[in-house]
Amino acid sequence: VINATKTFKQLGYSFEDARDDMAQSSIVLANVGDMSAEDSANALVSTLKGFRLEAEDTTRVVDVLNETGNKFAITTGQLAEGLRVGSASLALAGNDLEQASALITTGTEVLRNPDQVANGLKTISMRLRGVADENGELVPQLDKLVKTLADVDISDKQTGDLRSTYDILNDLGKKWDSLDNKQQALLSEKIAG
């Protein structure tokens, strides 16, 4: 508890937050996630900072990690590692903690490697959000391609903003089996590289 408190305090959190919320949650995560206190503290800090959460959200993060680890074919430690690697990029792509956890869980259940899944999701989210021309304007080709092949919008029709990676991939997943092999290959290449 002392080491966890020291770690959080060194990262700029108040002594009270570090001691009361964060250190206790870190120890709980270390126990339920079968990980070291240092690894759990690092995972919590990365996740909190990545999603711009406050110290009082530490229990929420631990609850998401623990519940997911109990219900799906991913360990709490694997999900914590995936969020440590991918939280900042996934948050920038409009995903919240629960959406990012769902994406990492789904991929890790198949690939069994949370680092690869998180890095792949970072690439996908950047490709979905980073299709811009030399003027920084969103190039409509990817949006048009996804709309034409799968009838899925990358941009929100009302606001014009890009939708979250979770929402886009969720909608694509619902249409995936109705696409032929060539359409699936083309979308995979354009979206995932």
Side-chain angles (χ1 to χ4, degrees):
V1 172
I2 291 170
N3 287 336
T5 302
K6 180 181 85 174
T7 298
F8 293 121
K9 182 67 179 121
Q10 287 173 337
L11 291 167
Y13 292 99
S14 72
F15 178 74
E16 291 75 21
D17 286 341
R19 182 196 63 213
D20 297 341
D21 293 326
M22 303 178 88
Q24 294 300 326
S25 293
S26 178
I27 298 305
V28 170
L29 179 59
N31 287 331
V32 300
D34 195 26
M35 54 199 315
S36 72
E38 182 179 352
D39 288 344
S40 70
N42 287 331
L44 283 174
V45 167
S46 295
T47 303
L48 290 170
K49 296 284 187 182
F51 290 103
R52 295 184 183 106
L53 299 173
E54 301 297 326
E56 58 266 10
D57 294 313
T58 309
T59 302
R60 173 180 159 214
V61 173
V62 173
D63 288 346
V64 167
L65 292 167
N66 186 44
E67 185 172 345
T68 303
N70 288 338
K71 290 185 175 181
F72 299 97
I74 185 172
T75 67
T76 301
Q78 286 176 318
L79 180 55
E81 177 62 15
L83 287 171
R84 186 191 65 74
V85 171
S87 63
S89 294
L90 290 170
L92 284 173
N95 302 284
D96 63 23
L97 171 64
E98 290 76 10
Q99 291 172 328
S101 297
L103 289 169
I104 292 169
T105 298
T106 302
T108 302
E109 283 185 322
V110 175
L111 297 177
R112 307 305 310 147
N113 188 322
D115 288 344
Q116 284 180 340
V117 170
N119 282 320
L121 288 168
K122 287 191 313 190
T123 300
I124 290 168
S125 67
M126 286 187 285
R127 288 179 71 98
L128 288 170
R129 301 184 76 72
V131 182
D133 64 16
E134 58 276 353
N135 299 321
E137 297 296 321
L138 183 64
V139 177
Q141 284 102 353
L142 186 58
D143 201 6
K144 194 179 298 184
L145 177 70
V146 174
K147 180 68 174 170
T148 301
L149 293 179
D151 194 29
V152 171
D153 292 308
I154 291 177
S155 300
D156 185 296
K157 289 180 182 180
Q158 294 176 348
T159 66
D161 292 336
L162 295 172
R163 297 171 62 218
S164 72
T165 310
Y166 175 87
D167 289 336
I168 295 167
L169 293 179
N170 188 38
D171 288 351
L172 276 172
K174 293 173 185 174
K175 307 283 179 117
W176 194 254
D177 289 336
S178 67
L179 303 175
D180 65 37
N181 288 340
K182 289 181 182 178
Q183 292 170 322
Q184 289 176 350
L186 180 60
L187 280 174
S188 295
E189 179 185 342
K190 295 296 183 187
I191 293 172

